[in-house]
Amino acid sequence: MKVIQKIEELRAELSACRKDGKTVGLVPTMGALHAGHASLVKRAVAENDVVVVSDFVNPTQFNDKNDLQKYPRTLDADCKLLEAEGVSFVFAPSVEEVYPEPDTRQFDNAPLDTVMEGKYRPGHFNGVCQIVSKLFLIVEPNRAYFGEKDFQQLAIIREMVRKYPFDLEIVGCPIVREADGLALSSRNARLSEEQRKQAVQISKTLFASVEISRHHTLAETKSFVAETIAASEGLELEYFEIVDGNTLQNVTSWDDSDYIVGCITVYCGEVRLIDNIKYKE
Ligand code: PAF
């Protein structure tokens, strides 16, 4: 496994691989890797000859400077995990290498990027599209792998690929959870022992809401989630929306779509956690 900081060096390595007829898989990450990332990497390694994992905390997608500063950076531990998984290249560039000048590109993915995370984190998805599109241009992968935990991000990246267009397959991979249900996230590392216990109420509530949804209206199910989280110690609901899984727009009845997903964001102390659950697929 090679750890590469420079774009030109990575390009040269990959162009040699492509000349040999090898397929290339890309797993974009911001590091602080956990079993959720490992599941993406395993799938990429199984489906491609060569796998590149980018390990780069992308400043343009943080609308909160404090969040950017506190984002965990664990390159050495990440490399150990990636080597064990059979990754060929880790791309760990500096901010200057990726953004030698400010990236002023504006990606319009409306209405997918104006709701939920897009509403609460203005500019976030534009930053995600800036880095992901750069990675696609640098790596030119046959396939790129993203987790369904960031459900809205995955939908927006699919839309970007369709619209701009990029010639690759986007592979969405299921959420990986702790044994008690908490969705894996690099941010979980910032939870205190007490907060970690409180955070499990997020997934518990989502799972319970699937049962509720079988016998209740969509509005009642939505209220159940909002009220349960509001009553849970240490948690503060930012939003819970029940949306069409393709358009990400609100639905008001279970008959509105064949693909219905509930997306939630909750603060546990200062730590912002997201999760989602499928009601219909
Ligand atoms: O999901 C993430 O970790 C990031 O948003 C991504 C896709 C690596 C872009 O920085």
Side-chain angles (χ1 to χ4, degrees), residues 27-31 37 54 56-58 61-62 71 124 127-129 131-132 135 145-147 150 153 157 186:
V27 184
T29 82
M30 296 206 296
H37 297 106
S54 61
F56 176 67
V57 181
N58 172 40
Q61 70 188 73
F62 285 82
Y71 204 87
H124 167 67
V128 169
C129 288
I131 185 61
V132 171
L135 290 169
Y145 297 78
F146 296 89
D150 295 292
Q153 168 172 282
I157 289 168
S186 305

PDB file of all heavy atoms in Angstrom, residues 27-31 37 54 56-58 61-62 71 124 127-129 131-132 135 145-147 150 153 157 186, ligand 1:
ATOM      1  N   VAL A  27     -12.858   5.066  -2.564  1.00  0.00           N
ATOM      2  CA  VAL A  27     -13.657   5.270  -1.347  1.00  0.00           C
ATOM      3  C   VAL A  27     -13.236   6.623  -0.761  1.00  0.00           C
ATOM      4  O   VAL A  27     -12.178   6.732  -0.134  1.00  0.00           O
ATOM      5  CB  VAL A  27     -13.429   4.143  -0.311  1.00  0.00           C
ATOM      6  CG1 VAL A  27     -14.353   4.349   0.893  1.00  0.00           C
ATOM      7  CG2 VAL A  27     -13.654   2.763  -0.924  1.00  0.00           C
ATOM      8  N   PRO A  28     -14.054   7.671  -0.965  1.00  0.00           N
ATOM      9  CA  PRO A  28     -13.714   8.970  -0.386  1.00  0.00           C
ATOM     10  C   PRO A  28     -14.021   8.979   1.108  1.00  0.00           C
ATOM     11  O   PRO A  28     -15.111   8.559   1.515  1.00  0.00           O
ATOM     12  CB  PRO A  28     -14.648   9.951  -1.107  1.00  0.00           C
ATOM     13  CG  PRO A  28     -15.190   9.199  -2.282  1.00  0.00           C
ATOM     14  CD  PRO A  28     -15.220   7.776  -1.859  1.00  0.00           C
ATOM     15  N   THR A  29     -13.073   9.426   1.932  1.00  0.00           N
ATOM     16  CA  THR A  29     -13.314   9.524   3.375  1.00  0.00           C
ATOM     17  C   THR A  29     -12.660  10.804   3.906  1.00  0.00           C
ATOM     18  O   THR A  29     -11.825  11.405   3.238  1.00  0.00           O
ATOM     19  CB  THR A  29     -12.715   8.333   4.180  1.00  0.00           C
ATOM     20  OG1 THR A  29     -11.316   8.572   4.416  1.00  0.00           O
ATOM     21  CG2 THR A  29     -12.899   6.999   3.470  1.00  0.00           C
ATOM     22  N   MET A  30     -13.044  11.130   5.124  1.00  0.00           N
ATOM     23  CA  MET A  30     -12.351  12.217   5.825  1.00  0.00           C
ATOM     24  C   MET A  30     -11.516  11.621   6.952  1.00  0.00           C
ATOM     25  O   MET A  30     -11.206  12.301   7.941  1.00  0.00           O
ATOM     26  CB  MET A  30     -13.359  13.243   6.352  1.00  0.00           C
ATOM     27  CG  MET A  30     -14.107  13.923   5.212  1.00  0.00           C
ATOM     28  SD  MET A  30     -14.706  15.566   5.614  1.00  0.00           S
ATOM     29  CE  MET A  30     -15.851  15.193   6.909  1.00  0.00           C
ATOM     30  N   GLY A  31     -11.162  10.345   6.826  1.00  0.00           N
ATOM     31  CA  GLY A  31     -10.339   9.696   7.839  1.00  0.00           C
ATOM     32  C   GLY A  31     -11.133   9.347   9.082  1.00  0.00           C
ATOM     33  O   GLY A  31     -12.359   9.242   9.027  1.00  0.00           O
ATOM     34  N   HIS A  37     -16.568   2.572   7.534  1.00  0.00           N
ATOM     35  CA  HIS A  37     -15.674   2.782   6.381  1.00  0.00           C
ATOM     36  C   HIS A  37     -15.118   1.439   5.907  1.00  0.00           C
ATOM     37  O   HIS A  37     -15.006   1.202   4.704  1.00  0.00           O
ATOM     38  CB  HIS A  37     -14.492   3.682   6.759  1.00  0.00           C
ATOM     39  CG  HIS A  37     -14.882   5.062   7.166  1.00  0.00           C
ATOM     40  ND1 HIS A  37     -14.845   5.482   8.464  1.00  0.00           N
ATOM     41  CD2 HIS A  37     -15.305   6.115   6.434  1.00  0.00           C
ATOM     42  CE1 HIS A  37     -15.219   6.752   8.534  1.00  0.00           C
ATOM     43  NE2 HIS A  37     -15.510   7.154   7.311  1.00  0.00           N
ATOM     44  N   SER A  54      -9.338   7.971  -0.244  1.00  0.00           N
ATOM     45  CA  SER A  54      -8.855   9.321   0.072  1.00  0.00           C
ATOM     46  C   SER A  54      -9.121   9.581   1.543  1.00  0.00           C
ATOM     47  O   SER A  54     -10.152   9.174   2.089  1.00  0.00           O
ATOM     48  CB  SER A  54      -9.537  10.360  -0.809  1.00  0.00           C
ATOM     49  OG  SER A  54     -10.926  10.336  -0.589  1.00  0.00           O
ATOM     50  N   PHE A  56      -8.981  12.783   3.710  1.00  0.00           N
ATOM     51  CA  PHE A  56      -8.802  14.236   3.611  1.00  0.00           C
ATOM     52  C   PHE A  56      -9.977  14.940   4.283  1.00  0.00           C
ATOM     53  O   PHE A  56     -11.131  14.764   3.869  1.00  0.00           O
ATOM     54  CB  PHE A  56      -8.733  14.631   2.123  1.00  0.00           C
ATOM     55  CG  PHE A  56      -8.638  16.113   1.887  1.00  0.00           C
ATOM     56  CD1 PHE A  56      -7.506  16.816   2.260  1.00  0.00           C
ATOM     57  CD2 PHE A  56      -9.685  16.802   1.283  1.00  0.00           C
ATOM     58  CE1 PHE A  56      -7.423  18.194   2.053  1.00  0.00           C
ATOM     59  CE2 PHE A  56      -9.609  18.179   1.064  1.00  0.00           C
ATOM     60  CZ  PHE A  56      -8.463  18.865   1.447  1.00  0.00           C
ATOM     61  N   VAL A  57      -9.675  15.699   5.323  1.00  0.00           N
ATOM     62  CA  VAL A  57     -10.733  16.470   5.992  1.00  0.00           C
ATOM     63  C   VAL A  57     -10.952  17.729   5.143  1.00  0.00           C
ATOM     64  O   VAL A  57     -10.111  18.632   5.128  1.00  0.00           O
ATOM     65  CB  VAL A  57     -10.333  16.821   7.446  1.00  0.00           C
ATOM     66  CG1 VAL A  57     -11.454  17.593   8.129  1.00  0.00           C
ATOM     67  CG2 VAL A  57     -10.017  15.542   8.236  1.00  0.00           C
ATOM     68  N   ASN A  58     -12.072  17.727   4.429  1.00  0.00           N
ATOM     69  CA  ASN A  58     -12.309  18.757   3.418  1.00  0.00           C
ATOM     70  C   ASN A  58     -12.864  20.033   4.038  1.00  0.00           C
ATOM     71  O   ASN A  58     -14.027  20.081   4.436  1.00  0.00           O
ATOM     72  CB  ASN A  58     -13.312  18.209   2.394  1.00  0.00           C
ATOM     73  CG  ASN A  58     -13.748  19.287   1.426  1.00  0.00           C
ATOM     74  OD1 ASN A  58     -12.943  20.108   0.988  1.00  0.00           O
ATOM     75  ND2 ASN A  58     -15.038  19.296   1.094  1.00  0.00           N
ATOM     76  N   GLN A  61     -16.472  21.876   3.167  1.00  0.00           N
ATOM     77  CA  GLN A  61     -17.814  21.372   3.482  1.00  0.00           C
ATOM     78  C   GLN A  61     -18.220  21.637   4.935  1.00  0.00           C
ATOM     79  O   GLN A  61     -19.291  21.226   5.360  1.00  0.00           O
ATOM     80  CB  GLN A  61     -17.930  19.882   3.155  1.00  0.00           C
ATOM     81  CG  GLN A  61     -17.144  18.955   4.058  1.00  0.00           C
ATOM     82  CD  GLN A  61     -17.165  17.518   3.547  1.00  0.00           C
ATOM     83  OE1 GLN A  61     -16.518  17.183   2.556  1.00  0.00           O
ATOM     84  NE2 GLN A  61     -17.927  16.670   4.207  1.00  0.00           N
ATOM     85  N   PHE A  62     -17.325  22.345   5.685  1.00  0.00           N
ATOM     86  CA  PHE A  62     -17.649  22.660   7.080  1.00  0.00           C
ATOM     87  C   PHE A  62     -18.166  24.080   7.157  1.00  0.00           C
ATOM     88  O   PHE A  62     -17.434  25.021   6.837  1.00  0.00           O
ATOM     89  CB  PHE A  62     -16.400  22.531   7.962  1.00  0.00           C
ATOM     90  CG  PHE A  62     -16.016  21.108   8.248  1.00  0.00           C
ATOM     91  CD1 PHE A  62     -15.288  20.370   7.321  1.00  0.00           C
ATOM     92  CD2 PHE A  62     -16.391  20.492   9.436  1.00  0.00           C
ATOM     93  CE1 PHE A  62     -14.934  19.053   7.569  1.00  0.00           C
ATOM     94  CE2 PHE A  62     -16.045  19.169   9.690  1.00  0.00           C
ATOM     95  CZ  PHE A  62     -15.315  18.447   8.759  1.00  0.00           C
ATOM     96  N   TYR A  71     -12.616  18.005  14.234  1.00  0.00           N
ATOM     97  CA  TYR A  71     -12.787  16.754  13.496  1.00  0.00           C
ATOM     98  C   TYR A  71     -11.554  15.861  13.752  1.00  0.00           C
ATOM     99  O   TYR A  71     -10.421  16.317  13.592  1.00  0.00           O
ATOM    100  CB  TYR A  71     -12.963  17.020  11.989  1.00  0.00           C
ATOM    101  CG  TYR A  71     -13.698  15.869  11.350  1.00  0.00           C
ATOM    102  CD1 TYR A  71     -15.086  15.838  11.329  1.00  0.00           C
ATOM    103  CD2 TYR A  71     -13.009  14.777  10.831  1.00  0.00           C
ATOM    104  CE1 TYR A  71     -15.768  14.759  10.796  1.00  0.00           C
ATOM    105  CE2 TYR A  71     -13.683  13.702  10.294  1.00  0.00           C
ATOM    106  CZ  TYR A  71     -15.066  13.704  10.288  1.00  0.00           C
ATOM    107  OH  TYR A  71     -15.748  12.637   9.775  1.00  0.00           O
ATOM    108  N   HIS A 124     -22.775  23.331   2.803  1.00  0.00           N
ATOM    109  CA  HIS A 124     -22.156  22.024   3.079  1.00  0.00           C
ATOM    110  C   HIS A 124     -22.097  21.152   1.824  1.00  0.00           C
ATOM    111  O   HIS A 124     -21.030  20.643   1.456  1.00  0.00           O
ATOM    112  CB  HIS A 124     -22.930  21.310   4.188  1.00  0.00           C
ATOM    113  CG  HIS A 124     -22.582  19.863   4.348  1.00  0.00           C
ATOM    114  ND1 HIS A 124     -21.346  19.452   4.780  1.00  0.00           N
ATOM    115  CD2 HIS A 124     -23.297  18.732   4.095  1.00  0.00           C
ATOM    116  CE1 HIS A 124     -21.314  18.130   4.809  1.00  0.00           C
ATOM    117  NE2 HIS A 124     -22.476  17.671   4.391  1.00  0.00           N
ATOM    118  N   GLY A 127     -19.664  22.182  -0.829  1.00  0.00           N
ATOM    119  CA  GLY A 127     -18.298  21.759  -0.466  1.00  0.00           C
ATOM    120  C   GLY A 127     -18.097  20.271  -0.740  1.00  0.00           C
ATOM    121  O   GLY A 127     -17.032  19.856  -1.228  1.00  0.00           O
ATOM    122  N   VAL A 128     -19.104  19.466  -0.438  1.00  0.00           N
ATOM    123  CA  VAL A 128     -18.989  18.018  -0.702  1.00  0.00           C
ATOM    124  C   VAL A 128     -18.831  17.800  -2.210  1.00  0.00           C
ATOM    125  O   VAL A 128     -17.975  17.025  -2.651  1.00  0.00           O
ATOM    126  CB  VAL A 128     -20.229  17.247  -0.159  1.00  0.00           C
ATOM    127  CG1 VAL A 128     -20.232  15.813  -0.658  1.00  0.00           C
ATOM    128  CG2 VAL A 128     -20.258  17.286   1.369  1.00  0.00           C
ATOM    129  N   CYS A 129     -19.641  18.500  -3.006  1.00  0.00           N
ATOM    130  CA  CYS A 129     -19.544  18.324  -4.470  1.00  0.00           C
ATOM    131  C   CYS A 129     -18.190  18.823  -4.977  1.00  0.00           C
ATOM    132  O   CYS A 129     -17.624  18.237  -5.909  1.00  0.00           O
ATOM    133  CB  CYS A 129     -20.682  19.066  -5.167  1.00  0.00           C
ATOM    134  SG  CYS A 129     -22.264  18.245  -4.927  1.00  0.00           S
ATOM    135  N   ILE A 131     -15.229  18.710  -3.431  1.00  0.00           N
ATOM    136  CA  ILE A 131     -14.170  17.726  -3.189  1.00  0.00           C
ATOM    137  C   ILE A 131     -14.434  16.421  -3.939  1.00  0.00           C
ATOM    138  O   ILE A 131     -13.513  15.843  -4.523  1.00  0.00           O
ATOM    139  CB  ILE A 131     -13.948  17.471  -1.660  1.00  0.00           C
ATOM    140  CG1 ILE A 131     -12.763  16.531  -1.434  1.00  0.00           C
ATOM    141  CG2 ILE A 131     -15.160  16.894  -0.973  1.00  0.00           C
ATOM    142  CD1 ILE A 131     -11.451  17.036  -1.945  1.00  0.00           C
ATOM    143  N   VAL A 132     -15.688  15.973  -3.937  1.00  0.00           N
ATOM    144  CA  VAL A 132     -15.958  14.674  -4.576  1.00  0.00           C
ATOM    145  C   VAL A 132     -15.721  14.782  -6.089  1.00  0.00           C
ATOM    146  O   VAL A 132     -15.129  13.883  -6.697  1.00  0.00           O
ATOM    147  CB  VAL A 132     -17.382  14.178  -4.226  1.00  0.00           C
ATOM    148  CG1 VAL A 132     -17.752  12.962  -5.047  1.00  0.00           C
ATOM    149  CG2 VAL A 132     -17.473  13.839  -2.738  1.00  0.00           C
ATOM    150  N   LEU A 135     -12.043  14.651  -6.662  1.00  0.00           N
ATOM    151  CA  LEU A 135     -11.531  13.280  -6.514  1.00  0.00           C
ATOM    152  C   LEU A 135     -11.878  12.443  -7.748  1.00  0.00           C
ATOM    153  O   LEU A 135     -11.063  11.650  -8.220  1.00  0.00           O
ATOM    154  CB  LEU A 135     -12.097  12.633  -5.246  1.00  0.00           C
ATOM    155  CG  LEU A 135     -11.572  13.212  -3.933  1.00  0.00           C
ATOM    156  CD1 LEU A 135     -12.376  12.690  -2.748  1.00  0.00           C
ATOM    157  CD2 LEU A 135     -10.086  12.891  -3.740  1.00  0.00           C
ATOM    158  N   TYR A 145     -17.630   4.536  -3.761  1.00  0.00           N
ATOM    159  CA  TYR A 145     -18.438   3.931  -2.696  1.00  0.00           C
ATOM    160  C   TYR A 145     -18.775   4.959  -1.612  1.00  0.00           C
ATOM    161  O   TYR A 145     -17.876   5.647  -1.107  1.00  0.00           O
ATOM    162  CB  TYR A 145     -17.667   2.742  -2.085  1.00  0.00           C
ATOM    163  CG  TYR A 145     -17.441   1.657  -3.110  1.00  0.00           C
ATOM    164  CD1 TYR A 145     -16.438   1.783  -4.079  1.00  0.00           C
ATOM    165  CD2 TYR A 145     -18.248   0.531  -3.151  1.00  0.00           C
ATOM    166  CE1 TYR A 145     -16.257   0.812  -5.045  1.00  0.00           C
ATOM    167  CE2 TYR A 145     -18.078  -0.453  -4.124  1.00  0.00           C
ATOM    168  CZ  TYR A 145     -17.072  -0.298  -5.072  1.00  0.00           C
ATOM    169  OH  TYR A 145     -16.901  -1.255  -6.044  1.00  0.00           O
ATOM    170  N   PHE A 146     -20.061   5.031  -1.269  1.00  0.00           N
ATOM    171  CA  PHE A 146     -20.522   5.974  -0.237  1.00  0.00           C
ATOM    172  C   PHE A 146     -21.509   5.264   0.681  1.00  0.00           C
ATOM    173  O   PHE A 146     -22.272   4.402   0.238  1.00  0.00           O
ATOM    174  CB  PHE A 146     -21.224   7.178  -0.887  1.00  0.00           C
ATOM    175  CG  PHE A 146     -20.325   8.004  -1.749  1.00  0.00           C
ATOM    176  CD1 PHE A 146     -20.167   7.695  -3.099  1.00  0.00           C
ATOM    177  CD2 PHE A 146     -19.611   9.071  -1.220  1.00  0.00           C
ATOM    178  CE1 PHE A 146     -19.322   8.441  -3.901  1.00  0.00           C
ATOM    179  CE2 PHE A 146     -18.757   9.818  -2.021  1.00  0.00           C
ATOM    180  CZ  PHE A 146     -18.608   9.509  -3.364  1.00  0.00           C
ATOM    181  N   GLY A 147     -21.517   5.674   1.954  1.00  0.00           N
ATOM    182  CA  GLY A 147     -22.410   5.045   2.929  1.00  0.00           C
ATOM    183  C   GLY A 147     -23.805   5.661   2.888  1.00  0.00           C
ATOM    184  O   GLY A 147     -23.963   6.860   2.648  1.00  0.00           O
ATOM    185  N   ASP A 150     -25.115   8.801   5.341  1.00  0.00           N
ATOM    186  CA  ASP A 150     -25.260  10.164   4.807  1.00  0.00           C
ATOM    187  C   ASP A 150     -26.203  10.080   3.618  1.00  0.00           C
ATOM    188  O   ASP A 150     -25.787  10.218   2.453  1.00  0.00           O
ATOM    189  CB  ASP A 150     -23.886  10.710   4.411  1.00  0.00           C
ATOM    190  CG  ASP A 150     -22.994  10.875   5.620  1.00  0.00           C
ATOM    191  OD1 ASP A 150     -23.286  11.741   6.448  1.00  0.00           O
ATOM    192  OD2 ASP A 150     -22.026  10.105   5.761  1.00  0.00           O
ATOM    193  N   GLN A 153     -26.423  13.055   1.242  1.00  0.00           N
ATOM    194  CA  GLN A 153     -25.162  13.198   0.491  1.00  0.00           C
ATOM    195  C   GLN A 153     -25.128  12.224  -0.684  1.00  0.00           C
ATOM    196  O   GLN A 153     -24.760  12.595  -1.810  1.00  0.00           O
ATOM    197  CB  GLN A 153     -23.986  12.929   1.427  1.00  0.00           C
ATOM    198  CG  GLN A 153     -22.651  12.754   0.725  1.00  0.00           C
ATOM    199  CD  GLN A 153     -21.483  12.685   1.688  1.00  0.00           C
ATOM    200  OE1 GLN A 153     -21.050  13.705   2.194  1.00  0.00           O
ATOM    201  NE2 GLN A 153     -20.957  11.499   1.934  1.00  0.00           N
ATOM    202  N   ILE A 157     -24.824  13.198  -4.583  1.00  0.00           N
ATOM    203  CA  ILE A 157     -23.696  12.759  -5.416  1.00  0.00           C
ATOM    204  C   ILE A 157     -24.217  12.017  -6.649  1.00  0.00           C
ATOM    205  O   ILE A 157     -23.725  12.220  -7.764  1.00  0.00           O
ATOM    206  CB  ILE A 157     -22.706  11.915  -4.587  1.00  0.00           C
ATOM    207  CG1 ILE A 157     -21.972  12.851  -3.606  1.00  0.00           C
ATOM    208  CG2 ILE A 157     -21.704  11.190  -5.486  1.00  0.00           C
ATOM    209  CD1 ILE A 157     -21.190  12.163  -2.538  1.00  0.00           C
ATOM    210  N   SER A 186     -17.659   8.853  12.722  1.00  0.00           N
ATOM    211  CA  SER A 186     -16.387   9.327  13.279  1.00  0.00           C
ATOM    212  C   SER A 186     -16.663  10.237  14.473  1.00  0.00           C
ATOM    213  O   SER A 186     -15.842  10.373  15.376  1.00  0.00           O
ATOM    214  CB  SER A 186     -15.597  10.092  12.225  1.00  0.00           C
ATOM    215  OG  SER A 186     -15.444   9.266  11.096  1.00  0.00           O
TER     216      SER A 186
HETATM  217  O1  PAF B   1     -18.892  11.429   3.848  1.00  0.00           O
HETATM  218  C1  PAF B   1     -17.769  11.965   4.028  1.00  0.00           C
HETATM  219  O2  PAF B   1     -16.944  11.521   4.821  1.00  0.00           O
HETATM  220  C2  PAF B   1     -17.415  13.209   3.231  1.00  0.00           C
HETATM  221  O3  PAF B   1     -18.511  14.040   3.072  1.00  0.00           O
HETATM  222  C3  PAF B   1     -16.761  12.890   1.866  1.00  0.00           C
HETATM  223  C4  PAF B   1     -17.729  12.192   0.939  1.00  0.00           C
HETATM  224  C5  PAF B   1     -15.529  12.040   2.076  1.00  0.00           C
HETATM  225  C6  PAF B   1     -16.324  14.184   1.189  1.00  0.00           C
HETATM  226  O4  PAF B   1     -15.395  14.875   1.970  1.00  0.00           O
END
